[in-house]
Amino acid sequence: MALLEVQKLTKDFGGLRAINALDFTLKEGEIVGLIGPNGSGKTTLFNLITGLLPVTEGHIFFKENRYDLVHLKPHQITALGIARTFQNQRLFNKMTVLENVLVGFHCRTRSGIWGSILRTPATRREQKEVKEKAARLLEIFGTRLIDKRNDPAWTLSYANRRRLEIARALATYPTLLLLDEPAAGMNPQESRELMSDIKKIRDHGITILLIEHDMTIVKGICEHVIALDHGVKIAEGVFEEVRRNEKVIEAYLGRRAGLGKDA
Ligand SMILES: Nc1ncnc2c1ncn2[C@@H]1O[C@H](COP(=O)(O)OP(=O)(O)O)[C@@H](O)[C@H]1O
Ligand SMILES: [Mg+2]
């Protein structure tokens, strides 16, 4: 079943058309790779899906009820079940690892702001439950984050910071998770680990749209790949098909980035 259906989506920044009449569908339970040279519109697409930027034209239908996300605010889209990570990390550095995840849970707790201020028994119970759930989320990454749950986020290694961003996104209980270059800056061992972590997340029933430049990762975990250039979809299909597509090769050859030969 289609979880997300993007129809004729267009985004203009002044005279620049960053997304151009884009159509695609995400099926439930897939890991889909979104590739394309720098500036091709990948992050902009995430900003449109999550409501951070207004859409110029087109529709983004989500779930069976076909909510059109272009009419909704970011917090409503989060509540419907879409979470993301950012290309540039946005953690709360002074907060602990666990607290960063608790921020993500905030939109799903019942007692809300008054409960937190008045510290009712129901709130205390809920806070304990939420802390336990947050700890379980951290355990997705083995012992890497859970052992550091009380350390401030700024003390984490680069790879752990990226993992924590994913854990925080998962705390909103998404149906669809958007990952913006999660492996950027990771070494090969860390990237391999990330691949299995992403698969694990999918196996929990979460659909994943993944922006990634590392073609070993795209080849390794994406069932389906969409290639963008100048905001236009230039190819779509399984990795091997997309990699051999002439428009894709041309788009990458025209820039410095290449589609690694060994991918
Ligand atoms: N907020 C913005 N205002 C103006 N131009 C933008 C904005 N965000 C992105 N762009 C432009 O849109 C194009 C696509 O950018 P982006 O989506 O970041 O590409 P990618 O993530 O594929 O590298 C680029 O030309 C970029 O400069
Ligand atoms: Mg980007």
Side-chain angles (χ1 to χ4, degrees):
M1 199 196 77
L3 178 66
L4 188 90
E5 191 179 336
V6 168
Q7 275 184 7
K8 298 268 166 290
L9 190 67
T10 297
K11 176 64 186 176
D12 292 337
F13 293 113
L16 174 82
R17 184 147 285 189
I19 296 288
N20 191 353
L22 184 63
D23 291 307
F24 71 89
T25 301
L26 298 183
K27 287 201 212 97
E28 227 166 77
E30 279 185 316
I31 302 176
V32 176
L34 183 63
I35 67 168
N38 285 332
S40 56
K42 305 179 299 295
T43 298
T44 300
L45 175 64
F46 277 18
N47 289 336
L48 297 176
I49 295 173
T50 53
L52 290 190
L53 287 174
V55 161
T56 303
E57 248 178 82
H59 303 280
I60 305 169
F61 297 113
F62 185 52
K63 289 190 169 166
E64 238 172 317
N65 296 6
R66 293 178 69 78
Y67 301 100
D68 193 347
L69 305 183
V70 309
H71 304 304
L72 301 180
K73 301 218 157 57
H75 72 272
Q76 295 171 312
I77 293 169
T78 306
L80 277 181
I82 299 182
R84 71 171 301 173
T85 62
F86 289 88
Q87 193 169 352
N88 307 305
Q89 300 162 47
R90 297 190 183 182
L91 291 172
F92 298 103
N93 280 315
K94 289 183 183 162
M95 288 189 183
T96 67
V97 167
L98 195 70
E99 283 165 351
N100 267 278
V101 178
L102 292 175
V103 170
F105 273 112
H106 179 72
C107 79
R108 296 286 180 204
T109 53
R110 266 168 282 118
S111 42
I113 185 83
W114 287 111
S116 310
I117 292 167
L118 302 172
R119 307 250 325 144
T120 59
T123 310
R124 276 199 293 272
R125 204 164 42 240
E126 187 176 72
Q127 282 177 346
K128 187 164 171 278
E129 276 171 28
V130 163
K131 270 192 187 166
E132 282 162 9
K133 282 186 194 159
R136 255 175 267 139
L137 273 183
L138 292 176
E139 281 167 354
I140 288 178
F141 300 97
T143 56
R144 293 195 177 279
L145 292 179
I146 194 75
D147 288 356
K148 300 182 175 65
R149 79 184 96 177
N150 295 318
D151 297 352
W154 66 267
T155 63
L156 294 181
S157 70
Y158 184 81
N160 273 339
R161 296 170 60 88
R162 305 234 64 150
R163 294 181 185 115
L164 179 54
E165 269 214 300
I166 297 173
R168 188 178 59 179
L170 289 173
T172 65
Y173 292 114
T175 313
L176 172 62
L177 178 63
L178 311 175
L179 298 173
D180 198 344
E181 300 192 28
M186 286 190 176
N187 66 37
Q189 164 60 28
E190 290 163 344
S191 296
R192 268 196 301 280
E193 210 179 295
L194 180 75
M195 285 166 63
S196 85
D197 293 335
I198 292 174
K199 277 192 197 158
K200 216 190 295 177
I201 292 166
R202 190 273 304 277
D203 293 343
H204 280 85
I206 297 170
T207 305
I208 294 168
L209 181 60
L210 170 71
I211 297 177
E212 190 47 66
H213 282 302
D214 183 337
M215 290 305 146
T216 312
I217 295 183
V218 178
K219 181 183 178 183
I221 62 172
C222 298
E223 282 108 14
H224 192 94
V225 177
I226 296 169
L228 292 185
D229 190 29
H230 297 295
V232 175
K233 183 172 78 181
I234 53 172
E236 183 173 13
V238 296
F239 176 78
E240 288 303 331
E241 235 174 74
V242 170
R243 182 172 78 138
R244 287 202 208 94
N245 182 290
E246 261 181 38
K247 284 183 188 167
V248 174
I249 293 167
E250 231 170 74
Y252 275 91
L253 285 179
R255 329 277 157 103
R256 265 191 305 139
L259 266 181
K261 281 189 284 300
D262 53 354

